[in-house]
Amino acid sequence: ALDTVGLRPDGTIETPPYERAHRAAWYRLGPAPGERGAAVLVGHVDSKKAVAVFWYLTRITPGDEIQVTRQDRRTALFTVTSIEEFTKTAFPTDRVYADPDTPQLRLVTCGGRWDPARGEYPDNVVVFATLTGVA
């Protein structure tokens, strides 16, 4: 199951609540997975208590398949094209939230080494994938 997120008043994407760190969230202002455009799913890498939904995201490799069960109960099948890490100050917003002519998927979480002084991860990990089927 997926939760949903929108935008904060400052225009940045909402962060899923840590109480639900075991679940990913769909950015509801964009396309749903399997629709034309880039569907974005965000999730935590960890919480203060445990690993979270995207803890193993960096183990994904190009060619891996991601399955997303849609609200209509069909399964959208995506093939990973790349996994990349970006500093938060150089996050590729235009690329992640692009409006391509084909259905695509983006998985976004935190990355890099935890910075205890700032209380955050300095980077974001983004998985880029393209729709390759619907079952």
Side-chain angles (χ1 to χ4, degrees):
L2 292 172
D3 292 330
T4 61
V5 292
L7 291 177
R8 296 180 177 135
D10 68 359
T12 61
I13 193 168
E14 293 175 326
T15 304
Y18 280 104
E19 298 79 38
R20 299 174 71 85
H22 62 288
R23 294 170 60 123
W26 164 58
Y27 174 61
R28 69 178 178 270
L29 301 176
E35 292 180 347
R36 183 188 146 276
V40 178
L41 303 182
V42 296
H44 292 289
V45 68
D46 62 11
S47 70
K48 291 181 181 180
K49 297 179 182 180
V51 299
V53 66
F54 285 161
W55 177 258
Y56 296 106
L57 201 64
T58 57
R59 293 186 182 179
I60 290 177
T61 59
D64 285 349
E65 185 178 86
I66 299 170
Q67 299 180 9
V68 180
T69 303
R70 295 168 32 96
Q71 192 170 12
D72 63 7
R73 303 286 183 231
R74 297 179 75 197
T75 302
L77 307 171
F78 295 89
T79 299
V80 174
T81 56
S82 69
I83 179 168
E84 301 176 45
E85 190 165 328
F86 306 95
T87 63
K88 288 184 179 180
T89 57
F91 187 81
T93 302
D94 291 344
R95 189 168 162 215
V96 171
Y97 297 96
D99 188 19
D101 291 333
T102 59
Q104 297 188 18
L105 181 69
R106 311 290 190 247
L107 306 180
V108 182
T109 195
C110 292
R113 296 189 76 150
W114 174 255
D115 182 346
R118 296 183 63 191
E120 67 180 14
Y121 288 96
D123 301 336
N124 284 112
V125 174
V126 182
V127 172
F128 295 87
T130 301
L131 185 74
T132 50
V134 178

